[in-house]
Amino acid sequence: MNDYTALVTGGNKGIGKHIARLLAAEGHTVYVGSRDPGRGQRAVEEIGAGARLLVLDVTDPDSIAKAATQVDRLDVLVNNAGISVSPARPADTGVEELRRTYETNVFGVVAVTSAFLPALRRSAHPRIVNISSGTASLTWSTNPNPQFTPGNGGAAAYRSSKAALNAFTVFYAQTLAEDGFKVNALAPGLRATDLSPGAAATGGDPAEAAHGALRLALLPDDGPTGGFFSWDGTLVPW
Ligand code: NAP
């Protein structure tokens, strides 16, 4: 089982680059999605054997369409590209902020998934991993989990976008189950990346989170679908 073809959006840095590196290390072919060709090429060279550049801006319909023509069969799609533009609470969140966040974190995922569905349907074991966030859990938001700090309605645009992504994860899982797809969401935990000042300052190792994504990317045919999993494999409440 080492001849899979995978795509990781936003694979040029952060958690995405670690996911791409792990997939390549397992012997799979990995398209490193990057909106900037230079940043993507550097990641591809760093990862080495198995990695290929796929220029892909998840908010640009032309870029998505062009990228989809370059991939014939796809076994694993990791919707990892994401942004967090503000820690604001709802009352201080402008609609523009909300639109910008949803463009990448929600509309981008749906557009990319739709464009790559034909290639995924050519796989015998299609898998989709949506990189969500524990901060999207409405259960944890109302009964704060000790591991989860940004309660009290903060980062409303980001957290609600990931809650919408969770909803799409369930809907894709339900509608694609008969075709053998496994579609799951991952909460990677707070990681030291460029995503937000909070993540960079207090986050853990992004490589650890990538192992959780790898597990969902390579699920066996009797594995779960429509679930929300933490990086360590435990279920996260919706
Ligand atoms: P990161 O280091 O900032 O990486 C984000 C990646 O997404 C970058 O490669 C970035 O590309 C890419 N990206 C952003 N907008 C894009 C677009 N329009 N088209 C294509 N690529 C785009 O952040 P990260 O922490 O690794 O985040 C990865 C995922 O994990 C995100 O979905 C994030 O929400 C999620 N997550 C992170 C944490 C955390 O604590 N870090 C916690 C929970 C969930 P550029 O280099 O071109 O900007």
Side-chain angles (χ1 to χ4, degrees):
M1 205 174 78
N2 61 356
D3 59 348
Y4 282 4
T5 298
L7 163 60
V8 182
T9 68
N12 57 284
K13 70 174 181 180
I15 296 169
K17 186 164 77 174
H18 285 286
I19 298 170
R21 193 198 310 275
L22 289 180
L23 284 162
E26 295 261 328
H28 305 295
T29 299
V30 187
Y31 285 101
V32 174
S34 176
R35 59 181 162 180
D36 181 86
R39 288 198 288 273
Q41 188 54 38
R42 276 194 291 281
V44 163
E45 283 164 17
E46 215 181 289
I47 295 167
R52 296 184 192 172
L53 173 64
L54 191 68
V55 177
L56 175 57
D57 182 335
V58 304
T59 63
D60 177 349
D62 292 338
S63 170
I64 296 170
K66 191 171 170 201
T69 64
Q70 294 169 63
V71 180
D72 178 45
R73 189 199 81 211
L74 192 63
D75 302 291
V76 175
L77 170 61
V78 183
N79 285 308
N80 165 80
I83 58 168
S84 175
V85 299
S86 154
R89 293 176 177 185
D92 303 315
T93 301
V95 170
E96 263 321 304
E97 227 166 80
L98 211 56
R99 282 206 182 100
R100 193 145 65 91
T101 307
Y102 276 57
E103 279 296 343
T104 303
N105 295 2
V106 185
F107 310 149
V109 172
V110 175
V112 168
T113 303
S114 294
F116 283 90
L117 267 184
L120 284 160
R121 287 188 191 283
R122 290 187 196 106
S123 167
H125 313 276
R127 308 287 181 253
I128 300 174
V129 185
N130 291 329
I131 307 300
S132 180
S133 167
T135 67
S137 166
L138 300 181
T139 307
W140 282 357
S141 295
T142 45
N143 294 288
N145 181 297
Q147 304 166 6
F148 160 65
T149 46
N152 302 322
Y158 176 75
R159 292 167 61 199
S160 64
S161 75
K162 294 293 188 178
L165 175 64
N166 284 352
F168 271 99
T169 302
V170 170
F171 304 153
Y172 277 126
Q174 289 173 341
T175 51
L176 295 169
E178 279 184 9
D179 300 328
F181 282 65
K182 305 286 178 197
V183 187
N184 291 288
L186 179 83
L190 187 64
R191 301 295 166 185
T193 68
D194 296 339
L195 183 80
S196 67
T202 56
D205 184 358
E208 187 179 48
H211 284 279
L214 186 74
R215 191 179 308 118
L216 295 177
L218 302 179
L219 279 175
D221 287 345
D222 61 355
T225 191
F228 185 18
F229 294 92
S230 175
W231 59 274
D232 63 4
T234 57
L235 275 172
V236 177
W238 296 110

